[in-house]
């Protein structure tokens, strides 16, 4: 599996940009998307910030998000408020946010499958347990 099959940075960015453009979609998105589905740590942290602000009934856009995370090292490293503005500018349409979510979730599942595949491969090389025991362990990976 190629790296491009395991993540879609563009879809992650479109989800975040779409949410900043349409805060009211956060509940719908949360029903399908977990922060752990993001492949980029910065995008995961931005999403977690959106969730936290939403719980407090604080609107989240480039300005309010920047105010809440301005002192975080990850925020400075990803480009700060400029990155948030770019997220909005890069988003083709907030009305397609659920499609972008489906791409992010699909890629997250592919990463989990790749991790399970690697773990199963390592099990098969281990001769300290019987093949039947290793099959049992492999089944728990999936």
């Amino acid at each position: 599996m190629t790296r491009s099959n395991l993540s879609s940075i563009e879809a992650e960015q479109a989800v975040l940009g779409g949410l900043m453009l349409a805060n009211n979609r956060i509940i719908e998105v949360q029903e399908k998307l977990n922060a752990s589905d993001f492949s980029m740590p910065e995008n995961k942290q931005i999403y977690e910030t959106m969730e936290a602000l939403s719980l407090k009934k604080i609107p989240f856009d480039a300005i309010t998000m920047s105010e809440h995370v301005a002192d975080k090292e990850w925020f400075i490293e990803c480009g700060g408020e400029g990155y948030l503005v770019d997220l909005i500018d890069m988003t083709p349409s907030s009305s397609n946010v659920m499609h972008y979510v489906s791409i992010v979730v699909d890629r997250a599942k592919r990463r989990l499958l790749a991790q399970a595949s690697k773990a199963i491969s390592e099990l098969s090389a281990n001769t300290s347990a019987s093949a039947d025991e290793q099959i049992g362990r492999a089944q728990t990976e999936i």
Side-chain angles (χ1 to χ4, degrees):
M1 210 176 276
T2 65
R3 178 84 176 127
S4 63
N5 290 344
L6 299 179
S7 66
S8 174
I9 302 306
E10 297 83 3
E12 291 183 17
Q13 292 171 331
V15 167
L16 299 173
L19 286 172
M20 282 191 279
L21 291 169
N23 287 195
N24 61 324
R25 304 288 303 270
I26 187 79
I27 302 293
E28 180 184 7
V29 168
Q30 287 175 313
E31 291 173 1
K32 302 282 182 189
L33 182 70
N34 296 308
S36 61
D37 293 333
F38 287 90
S39 64
M40 274 185 62
E42 297 88 353
N43 290 343
K44 174 185 175 187
Q45 291 169 313
I46 290 169
Y47 182 71
E48 289 172 339
T49 301
M50 289 176 171
E51 289 184 306
L53 292 174
S54 176
L55 282 173
K56 295 176 183 177
K57 307 281 190 240
I58 298 172
F60 44 91
D61 56 27
I63 295 169
T64 57
M65 293 277 295
S66 293
E67 287 294 316
H68 282 84
V69 295
D71 61 338
K72 306 286 185 201
E73 185 176 334
W74 64 264
F75 183 65
I76 296 163
E77 288 177 2
C78 78
E81 188 175 347
Y83 182 62
L84 297 177
V85 171
D86 287 345
L87 291 174
I88 294 167
D89 289 344
M90 288 187 269
T91 302
S93 173
S94 63
S95 63
N96 296 331
V97 72
M98 291 311 293
H99 180 69
Y100 308 139
V101 165
S102 69
I103 295 170
V104 173
V105 170
D106 177 75
R107 300 300 165 84
K109 288 177 182 177
R110 290 177 188 276
R111 286 192 304 278
L112 290 174
L113 183 59
Q115 290 169 358
S117 175
K118 181 180 177 193
I120 290 169
S121 179
E122 290 171 0
L123 283 173
S124 68
N126 182 349
T127 58
S128 65
S130 73
D132 287 336
E133 290 173 332
Q134 298 297 47
I135 289 170
R137 291 179 187 156
Q139 289 172 336
T140 64
E141 289 294 329
I142 298 175

